[in-house]
Amino acid sequence: MFELRLLCPEARVEPLSEALDALDALSVSVEDADALTEHERPLFGEPGMPAPQQGWQRSRVSALFASREAADEAAALLPLQEFFADCTLIGVAPVAEQDWVRLTQAQFAPVQITPEFWIVPTWHEAPAQARLALRLDPGMAFGTGTHPTTRMCLRWIAAHAAHVGAHRVLDYGCGSGILAMGAARFGAREIDAVDIDEAAVEATRANARANDLQLNAGTPELAQGAYGTVLANILATPLKVLAPLLCAHVADGGWLVLAGILERQADEMRQAYAPWLALEVADQEDGWILMSARR
């Protein structure tokens, strides 16, 4: 394959990407040209909501082509278009042959949750200090311990191990099942993990078997009654919709733990849950927060 690289302002990202697609690019990716510098600017968005921007103020656009001829043709045609104003052609280069499996695996090292609790891919040895570990590989479902929201939830579980181990646990929107499995590692014996995505349910069951952990996984109707701990690591918009349902599952003396929330969304989450529980920020990392409340 051959990669065509360009630099363009935010306003040109969409027409340039559409043109590359029309020129039979196999893929088009957009990155912040100022990444890893003091000018780097994060963009946050949520599924189902309009994108905050199409790109960055200075966007690096990369397109993959099946042949050198196709990449060179695109490089020749694009500068002739009106929308190419203020864009820069960086060049065309061959993509080196790689062992993509090994390269992908190299991106996922063991993740520390606490000094003694780690998430470990199956191709790695557990660190010597890992008294507790979960074996989990990147897969179809969200949640491998690399995202701040997942790490914060697992830290909360570790910090409240005595409570988690003594009560029923509900992981709502379980993804890979990592939070449910974290609760099991810290002693929970009755755990329901639910998701609307059948692939997530199957991933949760498979991951639990691989870790020799017992839990119940299924679609949301599996969740019945009150739980001592209710965990939901989703996103702010669905969490607001789910407020009455999630709160109804929290037992007296129980905890509600929510993640997938940006720092700027704290007040709207408090308001959404105010009729039932008083949410407070319990943790924060990289612009994300974890909110919790006790009944």
Side-chain angles (χ1 to χ4, degrees):
M1 291 188 292
F2 292 82
E3 184 180 43
L4 171 61
R5 300 169 184 164
L6 308 110
L7 191 67
C8 72
E10 177 188 323
R12 305 297 186 189
V13 169
E14 187 171 8
L16 186 58
S17 298
E18 290 177 351
L20 287 164
D21 183 59
L23 290 167
D24 295 328
L26 301 175
S27 68
V28 178
S29 61
V30 183
E31 299 176 330
D32 186 357
D34 295 315
L36 304 180
T37 74
E38 61 181 7
H39 301 294
E40 181 176 7
R41 180 167 58 94
L43 296 180
F44 298 110
E46 294 194 34
M49 301 292 288
Q53 289 93 26
Q54 293 296 327
W56 289 266
Q57 188 171 355
R58 289 191 342 116
S59 294
R60 183 185 298 110
V61 179
S62 300
L64 289 179
F65 290 88
S67 68
R68 179 74 192 225
E69 292 75 16
D72 286 342
E73 181 182 12
L77 289 174
L78 289 172
L80 304 177
Q81 312 307 312
E82 290 185 8
F83 60 76
F84 200 78
D86 301 321
C87 298
T88 303
L89 177 64
I90 298 174
V92 175
V95 178
E97 290 292 330
Q98 303 234 32
D99 182 340
W100 294 107
V101 172
R102 186 178 297 275
L103 181 64
T104 300
Q105 289 180 345
Q107 299 175 35
F108 295 94
V111 176
Q112 178 180 334
I113 305 303
T114 73
E116 296 183 332
F117 179 35
W118 291 68
I119 310 301
V120 185
T122 55
W123 54 83
H124 278 279
E125 292 293 327
Q129 65 269 41
R131 184 178 63 84
L132 295 173
L134 290 176
R135 290 285 184 178
L136 193 64
D137 293 342
M140 294 176 63
F142 174 83
T144 58
T146 59
H147 196 274
T149 60
T150 308
R151 291 197 298 271
M152 287 190 292
C153 288
L154 291 170
R155 283 201 297 265
W156 189 96
I157 291 170
H160 296 80
H163 177 87
V164 170
H167 299 87
R168 298 178 75 206
V169 173
L170 173 62
D171 179 3
Y172 201 98
C174 58
S176 67
I178 189 170
L179 303 187
M181 291 191 297
R185 273 286 183 262
F186 282 93
R189 292 290 178 266
E190 188 175 350
I191 306 164
D192 291 336
V194 303
D195 203 293
I196 60 173
D197 185 350
E198 288 286 355
V201 172
E202 289 304 316
T204 295
R205 290 171 178 160
N207 289 330
R209 287 194 298 269
N211 284 274
D212 196 25
L213 296 172
Q214 299 296 316
L215 54 81
N216 306 309
T219 47
E221 59 267 21
L222 174 68
Q224 298 291 329
Y227 297 82
T229 303
V230 176
L231 305 157
N233 180 17
I234 313 176
L235 285 170
T237 298
L239 284 174
K240 287 190 289 185
V241 174
L242 290 167
L245 183 150
L246 294 176
C247 292
H249 281 305
V250 181
D252 290 341
W255 284 94
L256 175 66
V257 181
L258 306 178
I261 307 162
L262 297 171
E263 288 180 353
R264 59 178 170 79
Q265 297 170 322
D267 286 341
E268 63 186 270
M269 292 298 295
R270 287 191 185 96
Q271 294 172 12
Y273 279 77
W276 303 278
L277 292 168
L279 283 178
E280 293 299 336
V281 176
D283 201 353
Q284 56 187 3
E285 184 178 341
D286 293 344
W288 298 90
I289 58 174
L290 178 142
M291 304 189 77
S292 66
R294 191 166 194 180
R295 186 181 294 282

